[in-house]
Amino acid sequence: MSNEFKYLGVTQSGKGVSGVVIAKSMGHAKQIVGDIAQKHDFRINSILPRKKFLYSVKLSNGQKIKGKQAAYTKEEVGNALIKIGYTNFSIQPVLLDFQFKPSFASILLFVNLSSFMLKEKMSYDRILRLLAEDESNPTLKETLKKIESELKKGKNGTEVFNRYGDVFGKFPAYMLGLATKSGNMAEVYDATAKFMTRDMEYRKSLKQALMSPLLTVVAMIGAVLYYLIKIFPATAKLFEKFGIELPVLTRNTLKLSDFLTANWILIVLAMLIPIAGVLLWWRTDKGKLFRDKFIIGLPVIGHLLHKSSIEIFFRVFSAIYGGAENNIETLRASAEACRNKYIEKGVKDIAIPLMLKEGMSLVPALHRAGVFNKSTLSRLKTGSETGNVLQAAKQICSFYEQETTYKMQNVIQSIQTLISMFVSIVITALTVISAEIATIQPPPPGI
């Protein structure tokens, strides 16, 4: 989580310098302040993080007042208490000050409630104050108070919200900041809530369609291996011990069990190393690009995930189109929000440069990017020709929302059916192997 850091320094002429920066860590703060000091030619004396202090005030009647206050130093809290007339107090820093990021549901609730209150013609500073008072998450509560304070001081709304992108999320923060400059804040907040909801549904669908079946298959394979290595040999070798001839299927399964027992370490490494390598590679820029391009190329599920990304792209596009400084800013923000690095790269590395350097219009530039399907480009072209690109963007995201929601549920049900069939086949095979052992009969006595 980002924090405020106060720096103190002195110029070559001996004049004191102070300021505040927002950074994710002390190291990051030192880097930012170092750049500022080099630019303005002053020496840094200290950098102080903003942290919380617990104070206890003892009144003349013996009553105690306790509270918590954020400040850069213990002295700042003490001076504040003295200014309001308190003299007998103690101050201690909070030793363990964990800041947990608010849940996605909390952020979504804040956006929805803000939209409702804006429609009721309530002032924005009052909305922030009311929601901060009712908020249970300490991080979000403090963030809303800071935003209210900074907006009252006349600071730019976009800069203020972007500063807390790690709390709200990068793109919700961008759009909420944009709303402060919009003529209709409620509409932008509605669009933001819709974007967040669809983004959540996209990730949930991706998890249900790809991750959940994969985990089920892995768990099933693990259970089968445990049966073959531990449970099955304990029974089968008992018959071997007494010289009882084993049936063909049981004998071959026992050989497989011996092989797995002798080489299980190599087998596990052969499975885990490639998986770990792929996961680590997917965290790189090239890996993310290949992963997202591969995902949208998958049969059946791929084109639905592609359309979901396009829907999110144009949902953001329609939310900020006209409110942003220019179309380039709108395209860049939409590309970064669509949750697909392949589409993002096509828009940012091909479409935007074509528009800037060659003066190409929107639709031809997006066509050259090669990341949008024909249906999308056709609808966008029609909107461009009629002079209503915004309406075309809204139609695209609405149409794909309906299509992907319906088809994705069918795909997920089909995948779940296939997984159920796989589990049934494996269980049947294990049952047959176990049943064959039950048919083994020891030779009669004396033979």
Side-chain angles (χ1 to χ4, degrees):
M1 302 293 289
S2 296
N3 192 19
E4 294 181 9
F5 293 83
K6 182 179 182 180
Y7 62 88
L8 302 172
V10 61
T11 63
Q12 299 296 332
S13 61
K15 184 179 179 180
V17 177
S18 66
V20 176
V21 298
I22 305 295
K24 294 182 178 180
S25 63
M26 176 60 80
H28 187 207
K30 288 180 178 179
Q31 182 181 356
I32 297 174
V33 175
D35 293 339
I36 297 174
Q38 184 177 4
K39 181 178 179 181
H40 297 282
D41 192 23
F42 66 86
R43 186 179 73 254
I44 305 169
N45 289 337
S46 61
I47 300 177
L48 305 170
R50 191 170 187 263
K51 53 188 179 181
K52 294 178 181 177
F53 294 87
L54 296 173
Y55 63 84
S56 177
V57 179
K58 188 174 183 180
L59 302 179
S60 56
N61 59 5
Q63 184 181 359
K64 286 187 177 181
I65 300 176
K66 295 183 179 181
K68 184 186 293 186
Q69 179 62 45
Y72 296 105
T73 63
K74 182 178 178 179
E75 288 72 19
E76 283 187 9
V77 181
N79 293 334
L81 292 173
I82 291 172
K83 284 183 179 180
I84 57 179
Y86 298 132
T87 56
N88 190 4
F89 54 79
S90 62
I91 303 171
Q92 297 295 332
V94 176
L95 297 179
L96 298 176
D97 183 21
F98 296 110
Q99 292 186 342
F100 296 102
K101 183 178 179 179
S103 65
F104 187 90
S106 297
I107 301 298
L108 183 57
L109 179 62
F110 161 73
V111 176
N112 279 321
L113 289 176
S114 297
S115 174
F116 171 77
M117 293 179 180
L118 285 168
K119 291 176 182 177
E120 296 296 315
K121 307 301 180 181
M122 292 179 63
S123 62
Y124 193 56
D125 58 338
R126 187 184 175 194
I127 292 173
L128 291 174
R129 196 180 314 117
L130 289 173
L131 295 180
E133 290 174 357
D134 292 338
E135 180 56 48
S136 58
N137 183 276
T139 302
L140 184 56
K141 177 189 286 286
E142 186 177 351
T143 300
L144 294 179
K145 290 180 178 179
K146 288 180 180 178
I147 291 173
E148 181 196 1
S149 175
E150 292 180 30
L151 291 179
K152 275 186 175 181
K153 294 177 183 177
K155 293 185 178 180
N156 183 282
T158 302
E159 294 179 1
V160 171
F161 273 97
N162 286 344
R163 193 175 300 153
Y164 301 103
D166 54 348
V167 176
F168 294 99
K170 182 178 179 181
F171 303 105
Y174 174 83
M175 287 191 279
L176 297 182
L178 195 66
T180 60
K181 301 188 297 183
S182 170
N184 191 343
M185 291 184 68
E187 183 178 343
V188 177
Y189 267 76
D190 267 342
T192 304
K194 188 65 177 178
F195 157 74
M196 294 176 68
T197 302
R198 290 299 295 161
D199 183 46
M200 179 180 64
E201 291 174 355
Y202 170 80
R203 285 182 287 182
K204 182 179 178 182
S205 297
L206 187 63
K207 180 180 178 181
Q208 288 182 324
L210 298 178
M211 295 305 298
S212 296
L214 179 62
L215 292 176
T216 302
V217 171
V218 170
M220 192 67 196
I221 292 175
V224 170
L225 291 176
Y226 180 78
Y227 174 81
L228 292 176
I229 293 174
K230 289 291 184 181
I231 300 176
F232 180 81
T235 304
K237 289 185 178 181
L238 184 64
F239 290 103
E240 275 192 336
K241 183 178 180 181
F242 292 100
I244 301 173
E245 185 177 355
L246 301 177
V248 176
L249 183 59
T250 302
R251 189 166 59 249
N252 290 334
T253 304
L254 189 58
K255 289 180 180 179
L256 175 61
S257 175
D258 292 337
F259 173 79
L260 293 174
T261 303
N263 301 280
W264 71 270
I265 295 179
L266 293 176
I267 294 172
V268 170
L269 290 176
M271 295 172 61
L272 292 182
I273 290 176
I275 293 174
V278 169
L279 292 177
L280 290 174
W281 182 58
W282 276 2
R283 300 184 67 177
T284 65
D285 292 337
K286 288 185 178 180
K288 291 176 182 177
L289 180 64
F290 176 84
R291 177 198 64 196
D292 291 345
K293 184 178 180 180
F294 173 78
I295 285 176
I296 65 176
L298 291 173
V300 183
I301 189 71
H303 76 281
L304 289 179
L305 296 176
H306 188 200
K307 289 179 179 179
S308 295
S309 294
I310 293 175
E311 179 212 332
I312 294 175
F313 177 94
F314 282 103
R315 191 168 296 285
V316 177
F317 182 93
S318 60
I320 63 179
Y321 184 80
E325 298 295 331
N326 50 60
N327 288 344
I328 301 303
E329 181 184 350
T330 302
L331 285 174
R332 185 176 289 110
S334 303
E336 292 175 351
C338 74
R339 305 301 186 201
N340 189 288
K341 287 292 181 181
Y342 177 62
I343 295 177
E344 180 183 341
K345 181 177 176 61
V347 173
K348 294 171 69 174
D349 292 359
I350 300 176
I352 291 178
L354 287 173
M355 295 175 69
L356 290 174
K357 296 178 181 179
E358 300 183 16
M360 189 175 290
S361 58
L362 176 64
V363 179
L366 293 180
H367 177 74
R368 289 278 293 276
V371 294
F372 294 98
N373 53 29
K374 293 181 179 180
S375 175
T376 299
L377 294 172
S378 176
R379 290 171 180 268
L380 203 59
K381 183 179 179 181
T382 302
S384 178
E385 291 173 349
T386 58
N388 201 339
V389 174
L390 178 59
Q391 183 64 28
K394 290 181 178 180
Q395 289 176 351
I396 290 171
C397 57
S398 297
F399 176 77
Y400 283 156
E401 177 185 357
Q402 297 293 329
E403 181 183 7
T404 56
T405 300
Y406 174 74
K407 290 185 176 180
M408 186 66 76
Q409 292 301 319
N410 291 337
V411 170
I412 291 172
Q413 289 177 5
S414 299
I415 292 176
Q416 290 174 344
T417 301
L418 292 175
I419 295 298
S420 299
M421 292 175 61
F422 169 76
V423 172
S424 299
I425 292 172
V426 172
I427 291 176
T428 301
L430 294 178
T431 303
V432 170
I433 294 172
S434 301
E436 190 182 54
I437 294 180
T439 63
I440 299 175
Q441 296 182 355
I447 296 179

